[in-house]
Amino acid sequence: MSREVGVWVVFARRIIVMGTGYVGLTTGACLASLGHRVVCCDVDVVKVERLARGEVRILEPDLPERVAEGIAAGRLEFASSAAAAAEEAEVVFLCLPTPMSTGGAADLTAVESVAGEIRGRLPAASVVVTKSTVPVGTAARLGRLLDRDDVAVASNPEFLREGSAVHDFLNPDRIVVGSDSPDAAERVAALYARLGAPTVLTDAASAEMVKYAANCFLATKLSYVNAIAELCELLGANITDVTEGMGYDRRIGQSFLEAGPGWGGSCLPKDTRALLRVAETAGFDFPLLEAAVNGNTRQREQVVSKVADACGVGVESSLSGVRLGILGLAFKAGTDDLRDSPALAVARALVDRGAELIAYDPGLRGDEPELAGIATLVDDPYRVAKEAAGLVLLTGWPEFRTLDWSRLAGMLRGPVVVDTRNHLDPDVLRRAGMSWRGIGRAPVG
């Protein structure tokens, strides 16, 4: 239920954040900016030393500034010993990896390892909070692992989007906190009171379910839009106009209505698989979510076929000997994250068909191990066009809209762009002498 939290917030709290990835570092830096005293812990000693100097290597707007401000104010510190830091904690946030294991279940190894490490060092009346996305029942499982009647466990799922994580943390749609101890739930919720966001206080299992339910709904929404986009192509409709007309309906909303090469990133793929596994364990058949996952796989295959067709080799034909220029490989603009990137998945499938890929992405350095054997990364977007049979835009970086398309047309062997994000203006490309192929829209040029 939504409710006002108590007055516990009037004091700054001593908070320990376990893990310094996207979620952990953003959580620590933003809580420090709210006036709390925060220590972020990580097993990577070199990373801890780097962060203590204010060096942030995550591509995330405003995050380096928040870290620097927290360090300068003396409210943000970094440590490599979780157990030592836990001794002074009032609240411990677990922001640890929960990757997809074999079979699709979330791997809780890191979460349980840290819980075991700090179990005997936690002060009485402290609260351990799972911020990571964890299966329903994890809070109860941690409670048994901690085996401390004087320590509460709570779930406080994050709803951060990469590329806007700091903004999302400080401007949340809602705060969700669940615990079987109402007092502990209020204490955690009070940490965010300055944000003035709607607060949902519930039991631990329901809070854990909120995150999966939200992410799986968004994945289903995206798969639905991509299916509608394919139908639009068959019927001569325009998906951009269709989704605009849908989005003004307040029951639907404008967000997550963009057709594209499929959904991905660090959350949706693993969360959909994890919820399917949870459902299976509970004896519940979930065909709707299964269809969303299968539809996402099919969408990537459809994009590859569209590229092959645009290059004139045929929908199902080999791309052996075909050189393609790739614009964007990160899973979304504004990040350098390649985890379950649909762009990278499409690129890999193109290589499997025999294509040679030259790629440019403004967020990537070129030394990412995920690129090995897939694409040669260059530092200039115009270099991807030289002697290429066509360009494939896979990530919607804003700067791609302002490229000199006449110049690119002159460098390409085949002046065609497959725009898998419907990101470019087809008329601009047509005037530059290029053909445009989008998703769910009629070809131009």
Side-chain angles (χ1 to χ4, degrees), residues 424-437:
L424 306 172
D425 185 336
D427 289 333
V428 170
L429 271 67
R430 178 181 53 78
R431 289 194 296 269
M434 302 186 72
S435 297
W436 178 89
R437 301 289 184 272

Side-chain angles (χ1 to χ4, degrees), residues 54-346:
E55 298 177 18
V56 177
R57 296 190 179 179
I58 295 174
L59 183 60
E60 191 63 47
D62 201 32
L63 184 56
E65 293 78 6
R66 294 285 175 175
V67 170
E69 290 169 6
I71 293 172
R75 292 193 298 267
L76 181 61
E77 303 173 27
F78 297 90
S80 56
S81 174
E87 290 180 345
E88 300 182 15
E90 294 178 76
V91 180
V92 178
F93 281 95
L94 302 181
C95 303
L96 300 161
T98 55
M100 185 168 60
S101 63
T102 303
D107 185 347
L108 297 177
T109 300
V111 172
E112 293 179 346
S113 175
V114 170
E117 186 179 351
I118 66 176
R119 174 174 51 196
R121 311 290 284 271
L122 292 166
S126 57
V127 185
V128 174
V129 184
T130 55
K131 196 74 169 169
S132 307
T133 303
V134 294
V136 177
T138 299
R141 186 171 171 176
L142 285 178
R144 292 190 295 271
L145 177 60
L146 291 170
D147 194 24
R148 291 277 302 271
D149 292 338
D150 58 342
V151 174
V153 179
S155 171
N156 174 217
E158 53 84 16
F159 303 99
L160 308 178
R161 299 167 298 168
E162 290 187 37
S164 59
V166 172
H167 176 272
D168 292 346
F169 189 101
L170 298 175
N171 301 273
D173 294 327
R174 76 290 203 195
I175 303 294
V176 177
V177 184
S179 177
D180 296 338
S181 164
D183 175 69
E186 287 212 14
R187 290 165 64 192
V188 174
L191 299 173
Y192 304 96
R194 284 183 57 188
L195 300 179
T199 301
V200 178
L201 298 181
T202 184
D203 59 89
S206 296
E208 291 164 342
M209 189 63 175
V210 166
K211 180 59 182 292
Y212 281 108
N215 274 1
C216 292
F217 177 82
L218 295 176
T220 302
K221 190 176 182 181
L222 287 169
S223 286
Y224 175 79
V225 169
N226 282 332
I228 291 293
E230 185 176 349
L231 188 58
C232 283
E233 288 190 30
L234 294 172
L235 299 177
N238 184 322
I239 187 61
T240 303
D241 294 341
V242 170
T243 53
E244 181 182 7
M246 292 170 60
Y248 283 116
D249 188 326
R250 286 172 294 179
R251 297 169 301 174
I252 298 173
Q254 299 279 358
S255 63
F256 282 75
L257 284 182
E258 298 85 8
W263 40 266
S266 61
C267 294
L268 298 189
K270 75 179 184 68
D271 290 353
T272 49
R273 293 291 185 184
L275 188 57
L276 283 172
R277 182 62 182 272
V278 167
E280 179 184 351
T281 302
F284 176 71
D285 189 24
F286 208 155
L288 177 62
L289 187 55
E290 289 177 353
V293 172
N294 294 335
N296 193 50
T297 300
R298 184 176 184 277
Q299 182 66 10
R300 297 175 182 186
E301 295 168 353
Q302 289 291 101
V303 168
V304 173
S305 294
K306 185 182 289 287
V307 172
D309 185 53
C311 292
V313 300
V315 171
E316 301 298 333
S317 300
S318 168
L319 289 166
S320 179
V322 175
R323 180 173 182 170
L324 296 170
I326 304 296
L327 294 174
L329 286 169
F331 99 92
K332 64 183 288 189
T335 81
D336 57 355
D337 197 348
L338 291 169
R339 288 176 293 177
D340 271 306
S341 167
L344 194 61
V346 169

Side-chain angles (χ1 to χ4, degrees), residues 31-49:
L31 286 172
S33 75
L34 295 178
H36 302 293
R37 295 168 295 148
V38 181
V39 177
C40 290
C41 298
D42 201 287
V43 294
D44 187 336
V45 176
V46 173
K47 185 179 183 181
V48 166
E49 293 173 348

